[in-house]
């Protein structure tokens, strides 16, 4: 049985881990977050009208590839996902929150939250994962399933070619506001696109399976987020609130809660690589930055990496790869 360490428990890491586990591997996932989700995370906030929930990362996911369609159908049968035609004919959301399918994927996996990985080390015994002052291992293989900018730092000491791919796949930041109101905000429809500095806004409480007070998620465009990436969160929340209310026909109702979250690494162009695997080093990488900026692509990237690991193939020659003892 191969023992595998995966850094990152978003959908790419979880999809890879699930398939490897099905093939008999022992898999351990390390994630710096408090819970499962990555950029499919959801946040719950208590208000005077009950709990409000916000899908403050990915707002929905599309289903176009056959393999992913089959997976989503299983989620649908289990009550974990529903179509959301408001966003498009092929749009789906997790139920009752966006991260519900990921929690389901993680149920039978060894996911270690609040584990911020500082580096990877490799010696004759295998791979070691450095978490603070401690190292965990050894592992027969190591997989990096985090955004490109973070992946480049972890890969750089071991495989120059992989690190170069990661450095070329730059991401744009995204500021997101989460706002709960005491009554309905007078905006026609349940979402807005490309309205000034607003790239996307959604009435989160109107998504399938949601409960609680009127809740909106407002995401700023990449250019605005990049220019204001170091702005204080309360200031950003106020700016995005004003932009949202400007789209309403009447004055805003009472605000029950408001907060902002900064995604430093949000939208990526994708490198059209699928996934990366170095057979000699037993080192791999997966994620949307290797395929395209969609949840579906992240899942496909993780699955394709698991296939390459089992088959012992690499997506391309790793001539510049070098071991690090």
């Amino acid at each position: 049985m191969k023992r595998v360490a995966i850094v990152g428990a978003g959908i790419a890491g979880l999809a890879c881990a699930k398939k490897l586990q099905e093939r008999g591997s022992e898999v351990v996932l390390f994630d710096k977050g408090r819970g499962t989700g990555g950029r499919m995370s959801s946040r719950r906030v208590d208000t005077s009208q009950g709990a409000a929930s916000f899908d403050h990362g990915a707002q929905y996911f599309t289903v176009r590839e056959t393999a992913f369609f089959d997976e989503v159908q299983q989620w649908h049968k289990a009550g974990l996902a529903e179509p959301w035609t408001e966003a498009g004919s092929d749009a789906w959301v997790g139920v009752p929150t966006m991260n519900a399918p990921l929690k389901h994927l993680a149920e039978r996996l060894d996911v270690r939250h609040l584990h911020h990985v500082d580096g990877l080390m490799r010696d004759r015994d295998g791979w070691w994962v450095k978490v603070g002052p401690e190292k965990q291992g050894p592992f027969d293989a190591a997989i990096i399933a985090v955004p490109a900018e973070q992946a480049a730092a972890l890969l750089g000491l071991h495989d120059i070619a992989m690190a170069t791919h990661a450095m070329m796949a730059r991401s744009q930041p995204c500021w997101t506001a989460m706002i709960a109101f005491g009554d309905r905000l007078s905006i026609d429809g349940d979402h807005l696109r490309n309205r000034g500095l607003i790239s996307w806004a959604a009435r989160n409480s109107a998504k399938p399976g949601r409960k609680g007070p009127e809740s909106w998620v407002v995401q700023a465009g990449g250019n605005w987020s990049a220019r204001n990436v170091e702005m204080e969160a309360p200031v950003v929340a106020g700016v995005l609130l004003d932009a949202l209310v400007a789209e309403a026909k009447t004055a805003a109702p009472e605000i029950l809660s408001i907060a902002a979250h900064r995604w430093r690494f949000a939208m990526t162009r994708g490198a059209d690589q699928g996934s990366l695997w170095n057979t000699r080093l037993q080192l791999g990488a997966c994620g949307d930055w290797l395929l395209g900026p969609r949840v579906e692509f992240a899942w496909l990237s993780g699955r394709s990496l698991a296939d390459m690991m089992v088959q012992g193939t690499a997506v391309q020659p790793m001539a510049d790869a070098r071991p690090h003892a």
Side-chain angles (χ1 to χ4, degrees), residues 307-318:
D307 285 337
M308 284 192 290
M309 292 174 67
V310 172
Q311 296 164 8
T313 58
V315 72
Q316 64 178 36
M318 296 294 179

Side-chain angles (χ1 to χ4, degrees), residues 3 6 10 25 32 86 91 125 182 191 205 216 234 251 295 298 304 318:
R3 192 164 190 252
I6 299 181
S25 292
K32 67 179 181 179
E86 172 76 18
D125 295 321
H191 82 283
S205 48
W216 280 80
V295 168
S304 73
M318 296 294 179

Side-chain angles (χ1 to χ4, degrees), residues 93-117:
V93 295
V95 175
T97 56
M98 186 61 71
N99 61 357
L102 275 68
K103 288 182 177 180
H104 174 71
L105 287 175
E107 282 180 355
R108 294 178 176 83
L109 294 168
D110 184 354
V111 182
R112 302 179 185 180
H113 295 295
L114 298 176
H115 278 59
H116 189 288
V117 175

Side-chain angles (χ1 to χ4, degrees), residues 174-218:
C174 178
W175 270 112
T176 300
M178 297 160 281
I179 310 162
F181 296 97
D183 205 347
R184 183 179 176 84
L185 188 65
S186 58
I187 290 178
D188 293 335
D190 293 327
H191 82 283
L192 302 169
R193 293 180 190 264
N194 301 322
R195 302 291 182 89
L197 67 87
I198 296 177
S199 172
W200 168 271
R203 197 186 315 266
N204 204 89
S205 48
K207 291 179 179 179
R210 272 56 175 178
K211 297 179 180 179
E214 173 87 350
S215 304
W216 280 80
V217 172
V218 186

Side-chain angles (χ1 to χ4, degrees), residues 255-313:
I255 297 172
L256 303 179
S257 72
I258 181 170
H261 179 86
R262 175 181 57 201
W263 296 98
R264 282 195 178 273
F265 311 116
M267 187 68 72
T268 178
R269 294 190 304 272
D272 198 28
Q273 293 291 330
S275 53
L276 301 173
W277 176 240
N278 185 320
T279 303
R280 181 168 62 86
L281 295 181
Q282 295 289 288
L283 175 67
C286 60
D288 61 354
W289 61 272
L290 281 160
L291 198 55
R294 285 161 45 192
V295 168
E296 181 172 21
F297 284 155
W299 185 88
L300 290 168
S301 177
R303 298 280 287 188
S304 73
L305 176 54
D307 285 337
M308 284 192 290
M309 292 174 67
V310 172
Q311 296 164 8
T313 58

